[in-house]
Amino acid sequence: FAVGAALTLALPATRASSPARLGPALHALAGRPFLVPFLVAATLHGATQFTYDALFGVHVAELGLASRWTGAAIVTGIVVEVALMAFGRALLGRVRPLHLFAAAAGVGAVRWLLTSILVDPIPLVAVQALHGVSFGLFWIAGVETMRARADASIRTSAQALFATCAFGVGPLLASGLAAALL
């Protein structure tokens, strides 16, 4: 934590902007045809990511594997995620954000399928590198989509709306469905 705090303090300062009121920001975005399908997709992707992240350790334990394999899998995914995000700007310069967004969903589905059939720990850990790809693509594409399609005065609110759907509404729905199923 100390190293993280020190690195954060070393970041260059940014110009503060006044926050837009949520109501006017939502009203300004509401008429855009991409918004509802995009936010539904973000919500569904967030729901599946949450469910996967919450239950992966349970899956590993049910396979009879030691918990260290869960840790190794998580680290593998995060390392790839950080590396992918480091090159996010260059990637966005070559591929449209919504194409990256769709690719994130596809890669996630492949990861979940492979996770459901793999039982040996090394391939199971290796396939978690796809988490870094699916989440990394999802995040940079989602943030960029909202940045590019929102006026400067509501850009932060638009990006917060994306994050709210992906990491608030999606996990809430997933938790409710999981509770009902259990």
Side-chain angles (χ1 to χ4, degrees), residues 22 42 45 65 72 90 97 101-102 126 141-142 156 159 171:
L22 183 58
H45 193 86
L65 302 174
F101 197 83
T156 303
Q159 291 171 334

Side-chain angles (χ1 to χ4, degrees), residues 20-28:
R21 295 182 49 119
L22 183 58
L26 290 175
H27 186 272

Side-chain angles (χ1 to χ4, degrees), residues 9-174:
L9 293 173
L11 291 172
T14 59
R15 194 182 72 189
S17 62
S18 59
R21 295 182 49 119
L22 183 58
L26 290 175
H27 186 272
L29 285 170
R32 310 214 176 156
F34 88 97
L35 186 68
V36 171
F38 179 75
L39 292 178
V40 168
T43 300
L44 292 174
H45 193 86
T48 57
Q49 287 278 14
F50 170 80
T51 303
Y52 180 85
D53 291 345
L55 299 176
F56 180 72
V58 174
H59 176 67
V60 170
E62 287 186 359
L63 290 175
L65 302 174
S67 62
R68 71 176 172 269
W69 294 110
T70 301
I74 292 169
V75 167
T76 299
I78 290 171
V79 166
V80 173
E81 173 186 321
V82 170
L84 187 136
M85 287 184 170
F87 295 100
R89 178 61 49 204
L91 190 57
L92 285 166
R94 292 188 183 116
V95 183
R96 292 177 55 195
L98 290 179
H99 291 167
L100 294 176
F101 197 83
V107 170
V110 168
R111 176 178 60 132
W112 301 321
L113 173 66
L114 291 173
T115 299
S116 73
I117 58 178
L118 294 171
V119 294
D120 294 323
I122 293 176
L124 186 63
V125 168
V127 82
Q128 301 321 305
L130 295 177
H131 163 78
V133 176
S134 66
F135 179 78
L137 290 179
F138 169 74
W139 184 249
I140 63 174
V143 170
E144 176 58 19
T145 296
M146 294 306 264
R147 186 206 65 77
R149 293 175 181 243
D151 299 333
S153 63
I154 61 165
R155 193 163 286 146
T156 303
S157 296
Q159 291 171 334
L161 181 61
F162 162 69
T164 298
C165 288
F167 305 119
V169 177
L172 180 65
L173 292 174

